[in-house]
């Protein structure tokens, strides 16, 4: 799990993908059609601070990024989630499609993808990992790593990982053991979406209200992928999410926000739109249906100065840790 953020380095150079033929397995990160509601032994996901400028921020408990001199913190264990005692959120509005409910606007938000716990008082929206359960009485967003593989689970994507010039799977420059899914053709996008649908189905069965597909911006880090391919794949995920009664949030990638509605994307989940002066761009695309997590007091102040009462904003620690763990931070515009 990372312990810092930094500006994104140049794109990883990979050649035109050459995918070896292979049968598609039924499992997705430990889920199968028969046991999709049962979590496997794999640890938590992590979120990405992931528009085309930004490096990934932390959140997944399964491993650390590639080492550098500044990496010093180690991941900590996560307690089991406790039942929520927070007050119910205001009634969310309905999407333009009329089939799903959007997050309420301007309410308390908590980003819990590093581990579920009882939300603080005043929280109306919670984002949690897909292996956790929703918080009772709140609007719940289900985190999914939709554009890259999980460490140690490359075999789940046999024939569907992007290949580099050396013929090996193209690894994320910041996250050791995490590889780009190959969305370069319609056939591969459909195959990937069919497998990802298993996880989306699990989110729906658990009672989540929406999904948050991470790494939408993977195309900015791998030359073998394009924005148009990412958008096409995202539209497939949106169609299935809506069919299951789930809204879908765009995770970062502000440069793609203007096309979100045409793809079926309902709202935005942003990291540091205040720190990077991007909140206005998201507002143009999504109105006030934006939930934002900041990782610095300066970023929180910036986001709150223009969007308090409109967006749902929280400052969390970079490790997205649970209460009782060193470094835990949860601050709002009123703090």
């Amino acid at each position: 799990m990372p312990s810092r953020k930094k500006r994104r380095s140049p794109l990883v150079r990979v050649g035109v993908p050459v995918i070896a033929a292979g049968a598609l397995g039924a499992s997705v990160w430990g889920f199968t059609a028969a046991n999709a509601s049962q979590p496997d032994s794999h640890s938590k996901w992590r979120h990405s601070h992931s528009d085309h400028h930004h490096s990934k921020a932390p959140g997944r408990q399964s491993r650390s990024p590639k080492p550098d001199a500044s990496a010093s913190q180690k991941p900590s264990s996560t307690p089991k989630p406790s039942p929520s005692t927070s007050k119910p959120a205001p009634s969310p509005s309905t999407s333009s499609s009329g089939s799903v409910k959007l997050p309420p606007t301007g309410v308390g938000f908590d980003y819990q993808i590093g581990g579920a716990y009882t939300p603080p008082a005043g929280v109306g929206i919670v984002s949690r990992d897909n292996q956790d359960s929703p918080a009772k009485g709140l609007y719940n967003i289900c985190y999914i790593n939709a554009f890259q593989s999980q460490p140690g689970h490359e075999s789940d994507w046999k024939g569907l990982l992007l290949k580099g010039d050396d013929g090996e799977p193209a690894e994320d420059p910041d996250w050791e053991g995490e590889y780009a899914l190959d969305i370069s053709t319609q056939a591969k996008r459909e195959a990937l979406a069919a497998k990802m649908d298993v996880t989306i189905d699990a989110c729906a069965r658990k009672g989540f209200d929406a999904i948050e597909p991470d790494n939408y911006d993977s195309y900015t880090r791998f030359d073998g992928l394009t924005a148009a391919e990412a958008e096409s794949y995202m539209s497939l995920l949106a169609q299935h999410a809506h069919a299951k009664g789930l809204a879908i949030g765009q995770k970062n990638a502000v440069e793609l926000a203007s096309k979100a509605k045409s793809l079926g994307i309902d709202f935005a989940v942003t990291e540091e739109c205040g720190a990077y002066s991007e909140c206005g761009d998201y507002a143009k695309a999504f109105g006030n249906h934006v939930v934002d997590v900041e990782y610095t007091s300066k970023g929180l102040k910036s986001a709150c100065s223009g969007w308090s009462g409109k967006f749902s904003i929280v400052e969390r620690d970079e490790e997205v840790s649970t209460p009782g763990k060193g470094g835990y931070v949860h601050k709002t515009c009123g703090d």
Side-chain angles (χ1 to χ4, degrees):
M1 180 168 30
S3 58
R4 78 280 185 205
K5 301 184 301 298
K6 60 178 182 292
R7 288 282 181 174
R8 171 68 63 189
S9 55
L11 299 181
V12 174
R13 296 293 303 182
V14 298
V16 176
V18 179
I19 303 297
L24 296 179
S27 65
V28 180
W29 306 312
F31 290 106
T32 67
N35 68 1
S37 64
Q38 301 299 319
D40 63 11
S41 60
H42 187 56
S43 295
K44 302 300 176 190
W45 315 97
R46 60 94 185 90
H47 59 284
S48 68
H49 178 58
S50 58
D51 71 10
H52 67 295
H53 297 300
H54 310 156
S55 173
K56 292 194 174 80
R60 181 161 60 204
Q61 305 242 58
S62 57
R63 51 87 178 95
S64 299
K66 294 180 180 178
D68 68 14
S70 65
S72 59
Q73 297 183 354
K74 296 181 179 180
S76 56
S77 59
T78 302
K80 294 182 180 180
S82 303
S84 171
T85 58
S86 299
K87 295 181 180 179
S91 298
S93 59
T94 303
S95 73
S96 57
S97 68
S99 60
V100 298
K101 291 183 177 180
L102 302 184
T105 61
V107 303
F109 172 48
D110 198 8
Y111 206 48
Q112 295 189 4
I113 66 171
Y117 54 88
T118 301
V123 169
I125 303 171
V126 173
S127 184
R128 287 180 171 176
D129 177 72
N130 66 79
Q131 294 184 38
D132 287 325
S133 297
K136 294 181 180 180
L138 306 184
Y139 188 95
N140 288 270
I141 303 170
C142 191
Y143 176 93
I144 299 171
N145 189 5
F147 286 76
Q148 296 183 185
S149 69
Q150 290 296 98
H153 286 254
E154 304 88 81
S155 61
D156 291 342
W157 306 101
K158 187 176 180 182
L160 292 171
L161 294 178
L162 186 71
K163 298 296 183 68
D165 291 331
D166 59 0
E168 295 299 320
E171 187 177 21
D172 187 283
D174 291 338
W175 293 90
E176 188 172 8
E178 186 168 320
Y179 300 91
L181 303 182
D182 186 359
I183 58 172
S184 63
T185 71
Q186 183 64 23
K188 290 170 185 173
R189 291 191 290 272
E190 291 176 356
L192 288 165
K195 290 168 69 66
M196 200 63 63
D197 289 348
V198 177
T199 306
I200 294 174
D201 292 348
C203 292
R205 280 195 302 273
K206 287 184 175 184
F208 282 92
D209 299 289
I211 61 169
E212 172 194 341
D214 199 10
N215 286 310
Y216 188 24
D217 72 327
S218 285
Y219 76 93
T220 68
R221 300 190 293 281
F222 302 94
D223 269 358
L225 306 176
T226 68
E229 292 161 357
E231 292 167 343
S232 177
Y233 177 49
M234 181 67 86
S235 71
L236 295 177
L237 301 180
Q239 290 171 30
H240 189 76
H242 289 168
K244 294 297 179 177
L246 299 173
I248 182 169
Q250 175 175 318
K251 179 69 170 291
N252 295 322
V254 67
E255 69 277 11
L256 303 183
S258 64
K259 297 183 180 179
K261 295 299 183 180
S262 66
L263 301 176
I265 301 172
D266 303 301
F267 66 99
V269 180
T270 74
E271 289 177 297
E272 302 200 280
C273 78
Y276 289 95
S277 302
E278 295 169 344
C279 296
D281 294 324
Y282 286 109
K284 289 178 183 178
F286 299 101
N288 291 339
H289 288 290
V290 177
V291 293
D292 174 52
V293 56
E294 300 287 335
Y295 299 112
T296 65
S297 57
K298 183 178 180 180
L300 179 67
K301 181 178 180 180
S302 176
C304 292
S305 66
W307 305 98
S308 178
K310 300 175 182 179
F311 290 3
S312 297
I313 304 168
V314 68
E315 179 189 344
R316 288 300 324 273
D317 54 288
E318 291 187 1
E319 299 299 321
V320 199
S321 57
T322 56
K325 303 298 180 182
Y328 170 78
V329 173
H330 182 284
K331 295 181 180 179
T332 67
C333 293
D335 295 335

